[in-house]
Amino acid sequence: MFEQKELQNLNDYFLNLENRKEPCVFFYRINGYSQEIKDFIQKYYEAARRTGVVIEGKVPNPDEKNLAYYGEIMGMEFQMSTGFISASLKKWLPRMKDQQREQVSLSIYDTLDRMRREGKNENMLRNAYIKFMCWLYYKFERIVNQLGESQIPKILYQGDISNYELKLMAILSGAGCDILLVQCHGDANYLKLDITSQISREWKGEDLSPFPEGFSLRQLQEEMIKEQNRERLYGGKPKFWNCTNAWITGKGLEDFRTNIRMRGEDPNLFYNCFCRMNGVEDKLTYLNELFQFQLEVKNSGRKLLILENTIDKPSMEEINGIRRKNYGSQDQMLADLAGSNIKYTANQELQHLMNKSFIDVMLEESKLPGMNLNKLTNKAVYLLCWLKRYQSELFSNWKMPQIGCLIYLGGCKNENEAMFLRFLARLPIDILILNPNLNMTCCLKDSLLYEINYSNSLAVERFPRDNSEIRMGTAAFHAERELDQIMYQDSGIYRNQQYGKANALSLQTMYEEISLLWDQELKYRPNFSTIDGVVNIPVIFAKVSGVKHESVGEYWSEIRKLVTEDTLVVKQVPYIDGRDVNPVKPHVTEFFKNGKLQKTKIKNHSCYPYGFLRQEIQDHILDKLQLLIDQKIIKGTFENGMEYTIIATVLNMKKEILRMIQKFDFTRKNPKFIYINTTEQVITLEDSILAAFLNLAGFDVVFFVPTGYQSIEQHFNRKIMEEHQIGAYMYDLQPPDFGRIPSNTRQTWRDKIFKRGS
């Protein structure tokens, strides 16, 4: 019989019989998990599948048919002797060689003898013997014919083993089999059967943890099949592999400066960095450090690519340059796209690396929720477009162990950018993501990524490539910015022009509330808020019909109270005559394509009249113009070319309105627009467009219509303004010169207290 020996390491299991220190077998049980254990079980599984038996769960007990066939061939006679057992095996398993039969018969006898010494009677021994013989025939016949040969047969058992199964394993071990028990639930059940571990040994590896929930040989097999499919998609494994971040010291830029040949010595590995630095260590020196760093990289002869704030989306020309077909499966798509588009003839090994990284990253993307073949294909096309765009800058004339460098200032804004950087991080290139502004976030997540976090925040728009681009802030400057953050973040106090974006929210009010809210700062109005850098502005948009108490003098006086320095009063109808010359009108068809304003084209056009305004105000105007069209407020929008009239009107506003918009601070008082129509004259379409736009832009807009006639409403698709009926309708009134009507000079109690000494 074969003796069990102690393992020096798990790989001793795979030594042939003649390469072991002495003829022996191994019988171990594994109760804990690690990556090393997983890799070993995978390897052992493959060996057992080729030259042994894999058992997951239980060895099925012989059924009635099995027992009937055994009785028919062998009869039910039993004798407790090696001669009887050997003769029976010759008849029952005739393909066994004499030496194999001798080993098995001795091992069966030894197990039965041990049972007899434990008190089992003759009948129990006979039943156990028949069960063992049936198991050998129906489950293990393929391995008993390999016993004693150079390649030792292997048995892999995963589960909680039973008493008779363990006795069978003892028989096979003694006859010359290697056996491995994988016990996901630990050793407690086993020790009930073999309290002193006489039959097998426990493997006590380092840093073992409990097996993951759901671990099984079937799951392992599925992973191995996936890995084999993945290797097939690679089109050949690369000779070189990435060693990403394992060698770094965690000192940020110093790691990137480390000489390539000083990073590691394994000739089959390339040593690269993949790091994100959030915030800045020192605001005063940050830009200069970046400037010096990129100079050092250039002077070292390394490839350097710097991207800022966004990776431009692939153009239609780039997308059309990707060779692709119609695909029926994911694997077909990935194999064809990689084979047709990833080309680097100058270095076949780099092409293999690119193939592997492409396949690995796309298979990860395929696991995202809601992913389908079409979406995955689009993502793959994006990645390949970017690879073709930047390939020469990063990898031209590449040879081992060269490492290029990519710096991305601002961080990933979307999942496609993150996907591209994850792809590059598995290639011979250092990736440095700089996110100095802590108010911005980078969406990239990756197990390889190393992060460095600093507490100071600094807004940096451009990477300092040369001295002329470095704008260094003084200590006082940065101290002021820090004070700004303390004073002006969620405090209710706002600095001048703090926000560049705003949304208007029309208030539903009573008529009397208009005068109360009118001259109030926006931050004191109900529903004012600032969220994610956008101000929500509560505005008034109303029509006032009739004259209160039929008192004309009081009526004009109430309107006069609303005329502030930021109020435009329209008394002559129309304010905009559709017949007036409009230099924008001939070009509006160029400015609107597929339902979207072509903002860049508008700003660059010779007829664009708003180029002198603050940039954020220009964007504000164009954003609200797009919103006015999208909401279809004006009748005929997207039906008869009305959207072109809307664009022409909004892009040709008068200077007095532009000046009010230019000085508009979204957290303080907003501009006002009062429109008085005392006649039967119909308000023009252009005036209605202007009023609706000004409402969206944040103006308070009030129409005073003493006649109660329909005016602005006839050009709107729906009711978008409050109407207040305040008195009887009156006709043929003449608006006065409001400059000659005195404002309310009555002093309030506040005036009396605070202006007494002035």
Side-chain angles (χ1 to χ4, degrees):
M1 290 175 57
F2 280 84
E3 291 187 16
Q4 292 182 28
K5 294 296 181 179
E6 188 173 347
L7 286 169
Q8 299 303 310
N9 64 73
L10 289 171
N11 285 324
D12 287 350
Y13 259 112
F14 306 111
L15 294 174
N16 288 340
L17 187 60
E18 63 271 16
N19 293 329
R20 299 186 179 185
K21 291 183 179 180
E22 54 185 298
C24 67
V25 293
F26 303 119
F27 187 178
Y28 272 81
R29 57 191 191 273
I30 290 178
N31 303 310
Y33 181 84
S34 68
Q35 184 61 45
E36 179 188 8
I37 292 295
K38 179 184 177 183
D39 294 341
F40 166 69
I41 294 174
Q42 282 185 323
K43 188 174 180 181
Y44 192 92
Y45 174 89
E46 279 296 297
R49 192 172 60 84
R50 289 193 309 269
T51 62
V53 174
V54 177
I55 303 165
E56 186 172 9
K58 295 291 181 184
V59 181
N61 280 322
D63 58 23
E64 291 183 5
K65 291 182 179 179
N66 300 149
L67 294 171
Y69 180 72
Y70 175 82
E72 180 182 341
I73 301 299
M74 303 296 295
M76 303 307 286
E77 183 182 357
F78 169 70
Q79 294 179 23
M80 186 62 181
S81 71
T82 55
F84 172 79
I85 297 172
S86 180
S88 298
L89 286 172
K90 187 172 184 178
K91 184 178 181 182
W92 183 236
L93 296 167
R95 292 199 302 154
M96 291 176 66
K97 298 174 183 176
D98 292 342
Q99 186 179 3
Q100 294 169 340
R101 189 162 47 250
E102 180 183 355
Q103 295 290 344
V104 174
S105 62
L106 286 172
S107 191
I108 292 175
Y109 180 85
D110 184 66
T111 297
L112 293 175
D113 187 56
R114 198 178 307 122
M115 291 174 64
R116 182 171 58 182
R117 292 196 302 271
E118 292 170 357
K120 301 295 189 289
N121 59 35
E122 186 79 9
N123 189 53
M124 296 170 73
L125 295 176
R126 182 180 66 85
N127 291 338
Y129 165 77
I130 294 173
K131 176 178 282 194
F132 295 152
M133 293 291 275
C134 287
W135 273 341
L136 290 174
Y137 181 86
Y138 289 108
K139 188 68 177 177
F140 298 96
E141 195 269 345
R142 65 174 293 198
I143 64 173
V144 293
N145 300 313
Q146 304 173 36
L147 296 172
E149 296 181 0
S150 176
Q151 194 170 39
I152 300 174
K154 290 176 171 45
I155 298 172
L156 174 59
Y157 187 109
Q158 187 243 312
D160 295 326
I161 197 165
S162 67
N163 184 27
Y164 280 94
E165 287 176 322
L166 181 57
K167 287 177 168 51
L168 177 67
M169 295 300 115
I171 291 170
L172 292 169
S173 173
C177 287
D178 284 335
I179 301 175
L180 178 69
L181 298 184
V182 177
Q183 303 185 135
C184 297
H185 301 134
D187 216 21
N189 181 72
Y190 178 89
L191 292 176
K192 293 177 183 177
L193 308 176
D194 182 19
I195 192 169
T196 58
S197 294
Q198 289 184 339
I199 300 176
S200 70
R201 292 177 168 89
E202 180 185 9
W203 175 256
K204 297 183 179 180
E206 296 181 358
D207 301 322
L208 298 184
S209 60
F211 278 88
E213 186 175 351
F215 178 88
S216 67
L217 297 180
R218 187 170 303 166
Q219 177 195 56
L220 210 60
Q221 183 183 27
E222 291 173 357
E223 289 182 13
M224 292 165 67
I225 292 172
K226 288 181 181 178
E227 186 63 28
Q228 290 168 1
N229 289 337
R230 180 175 294 203
E231 290 183 11
R232 178 177 52 80
L233 290 173
Y234 292 159
K237 272 192 173 183
K239 292 180 181 178
F240 307 119
W241 298 83
N242 60 303
C243 178
T244 305
N245 292 344
W247 55 273
I248 65 174
T249 61
K251 295 181 180 179
L253 297 183
E254 288 303 312
D255 289 322
F256 285 82
R257 290 186 174 101
T258 303
N259 186 285
I260 304 304
R261 298 187 183 277
M262 300 296 291
R263 296 181 176 187
E265 298 178 353
D266 191 327
N268 297 317
L269 297 177
F270 58 86
Y271 297 86
N272 66 327
C273 291
F274 186 22
C275 178
R276 177 167 58 208
M277 297 171 62
N278 299 308
V280 301
E281 185 175 13
D282 188 333
K283 294 180 181 180
L284 296 179
T285 62
Y286 182 73
L287 291 177
N288 189 54
E289 284 182 359
L290 293 185
F291 175 68
Q292 296 297 332
F293 172 68
Q294 59 95 22
L295 280 183
E296 291 177 32
V297 174
K298 287 180 180 177
N299 292 337
S300 69
R302 296 172 60 190
K303 303 293 183 185
L304 176 64
L305 173 64
I306 300 174
L307 302 175
E308 297 171 323
N309 300 316
T310 186
I311 303 176
D312 292 335
K313 292 181 179 179
S315 64
M316 288 306 301
E317 184 179 356
E318 288 176 314
I319 291 173
N320 292 334
I322 300 300
R323 299 175 61 185
R324 57 191 184 275
K325 304 172 184 175
N326 293 323
Y327 303 111
S329 69
Q330 176 179 294
D331 286 359
Q332 180 193 21
M333 180 269 290
L334 294 178
D336 181 70
L337 285 180
S340 301
N341 297 283
I342 298 179
K343 302 293 184 184
Y344 196 82
T345 55
N347 193 305
Q348 197 68 28
E349 284 307 315
L350 182 57
Q351 181 170 320
H352 285 324
L353 281 171
M354 290 177 176
N355 273 353
K356 180 182 183 301
S357 183
F358 173 77
I359 297 299
D360 288 345
V361 170
M362 296 314 303
L363 288 177
E364 288 181 18
E365 292 291 314
S366 71
K367 298 174 185 176
L368 294 176
M371 189 60 62
N372 56 41
L373 182 59
N374 186 54
K375 289 181 181 178
L376 191 65
T377 303
N378 292 337
K379 279 180 166 288
V381 169
Y382 256 59
L383 194 156
L384 292 169
C385 286
W386 281 329
L387 174 60
K388 286 192 173 184
R389 182 193 298 173
Y390 299 117
Q391 180 172 301
S392 62
E393 293 182 71
L394 293 171
F395 302 111
S396 62
N397 301 317
W398 179 85
K399 294 179 182 178
M400 273 289 282
Q402 294 174 354
I403 301 289
C405 184
L406 182 146
I407 302 172
Y408 188 16
L409 174 65
C412 300
K413 306 300 186 298
N414 56 63
E415 60 184 21
N416 285 335
E417 291 186 356
M419 172 186 66
F420 181 54
L421 292 197
R422 285 169 38 230
F423 163 76
L424 291 177
R426 280 119 178 112
L427 300 178
I429 180 171
D430 287 341
I431 308 286
L432 174 60
I433 302 171
L434 298 171
N435 189 35
N437 188 348
L438 294 177
N439 294 320
M440 309 295 289
T441 57
C442 171
C443 67
L444 186 146
K445 296 180 180 178
D446 195 302
S447 60
L448 295 181
L449 182 66
Y450 181 79
E451 287 204 79
I452 299 175
N453 295 298
Y454 297 112
S455 58
N456 296 316
S457 181
L458 182 65
V460 181
E461 295 181 1
R462 299 188 64 188
F463 190 92
R465 289 179 171 85
D466 57 60
N467 284 321
S468 64
E469 294 179 334
I470 301 179
R471 299 172 62 218
M472 302 293 290
T474 64
F477 172 84
H478 291 299
E480 182 186 40
R481 288 294 174 268
E482 291 175 357
L483 184 61
D484 278 358
Q485 290 187 347
I486 296 172
M487 290 185 62
Y488 302 127
Q489 296 296 325
D490 302 320
S491 64
I493 304 173
Y494 305 97
R495 67 170 180 267
N496 292 335
Q497 307 296 345
Q498 181 172 344
Y499 294 94
K501 293 186 177 182
N503 295 321
L505 309 172
S506 294
L507 293 170
Q508 291 182 307
T509 68
M510 297 175 60
Y511 168 67
E512 289 75 14
E513 288 182 292
I514 293 178
S515 60
L516 296 175
L517 297 170
W518 189 258
D519 203 30
Q520 211 174 55
E521 286 197 7
L522 294 169
K523 64 183 178 182
Y524 298 125
R525 290 185 178 181
N527 301 309
F528 174 88
S529 64
T530 58
I531 301 174
D532 295 333
V534 179
V535 186
N536 293 314
I537 302 175
V539 298
I540 298 167
F541 193 22
K543 174 184 176 184
V544 179
S545 297
V547 178
K548 194 173 185 179
H549 306 312
E550 298 186 58
S551 173
V552 176
E554 184 180 343
Y555 180 71
W556 297 127
S557 180
E558 288 296 319
I559 295 176
R560 170 64 184 86
K561 294 176 184 178
L562 302 181
V563 181
T564 68
E565 61 176 302
D566 289 322
T567 303
L568 173 63
V569 180
V570 175
K571 298 187 292 184
Q572 297 296 324
V573 181
Y575 177 64
I576 303 174
D577 192 328
R579 296 168 297 180
D580 291 343
V581 175
N582 185 334
V584 177
K585 188 174 293 185
H587 308 286
V588 290
T589 53
E590 304 174 40
F591 296 163
F592 195 70
K593 302 288 184 184
N594 301 319
K596 296 296 179 183
L597 284 174
Q598 306 300 298
K599 296 179 183 179
T600 302
K601 181 175 286 188
I602 291 172
K603 289 182 178 180
N604 293 331
H605 202 279
S606 59
C607 77
Y608 178 59
Y610 300 157
F612 60 89
L613 298 175
R614 289 185 288 125
Q615 188 62 52
E616 58 267 29
I617 288 299
Q618 294 183 50
D619 293 336
H620 183 66
I621 291 172
L622 295 178
D623 288 344
K624 300 314 170 188
L625 173 54
Q626 180 71 62
L627 183 62
L628 178 61
I629 296 171
D630 290 343
Q631 291 187 351
K632 300 181 182 178
I633 293 172
I634 307 300
K635 287 182 179 177
T637 304
F638 294 118
E639 293 177 5
N640 53 18
M642 180 60 70
E643 54 272 21
Y644 298 118
T645 303
I646 295 171
I647 294 170
T649 302
V650 173
L651 292 183
N652 192 45
M653 292 185 291
K654 297 181 180 180
K655 186 184 297 184
E656 54 194 350
I657 292 180
L658 295 180
R659 288 178 173 177
M660 296 170 75
I661 297 177
Q662 166 71 6
K663 66 180 290 190
F664 184 15
D665 188 332
F666 298 144
T667 62
R668 306 193 189 283
K669 294 181 181 180
N670 60 331
K672 324 290 182 183
F673 183 72
I674 294 176
Y675 196 112
I676 302 171
N677 186 9
T678 62
T679 69
E680 291 81 11
Q681 190 167 352
V682 176
I683 293 177
T684 63
L685 168 64
E686 288 77 11
D687 282 359
S688 299
I689 291 171
L690 177 65
F693 169 78
L694 294 179
N695 165 250
L696 294 176
F699 280 57
D700 286 335
V701 179
V702 179
F703 281 76
F704 285 96
V705 186
T707 62
Y709 290 147
Q710 278 205 48
S711 53
I712 191 172
E713 303 96 320
Q714 63 182 334
H715 296 297
F716 292 160
N717 270 321
R718 59 185 183 277
K719 182 179 178 181
I720 61 172
M721 60 196 304
E722 285 290 303
E723 182 172 6
H724 303 284
Q725 299 286 346
I726 65 170
Y729 300 147
M730 299 187 70
Y731 309 97
D732 301 320
L733 300 183
Q734 293 297 320
D737 181 354
F738 289 107
R740 295 185 177 183
I741 299 178
S743 61
N744 185 8
T745 58
R746 186 179 61 186
Q747 284 190 321
T748 66
W749 63 271
R750 293 184 181 85
D751 296 330
K752 292 176 181 177
I753 292 174
F754 293 109
K755 294 185 179 181
R756 182 174 297 168
S758 62

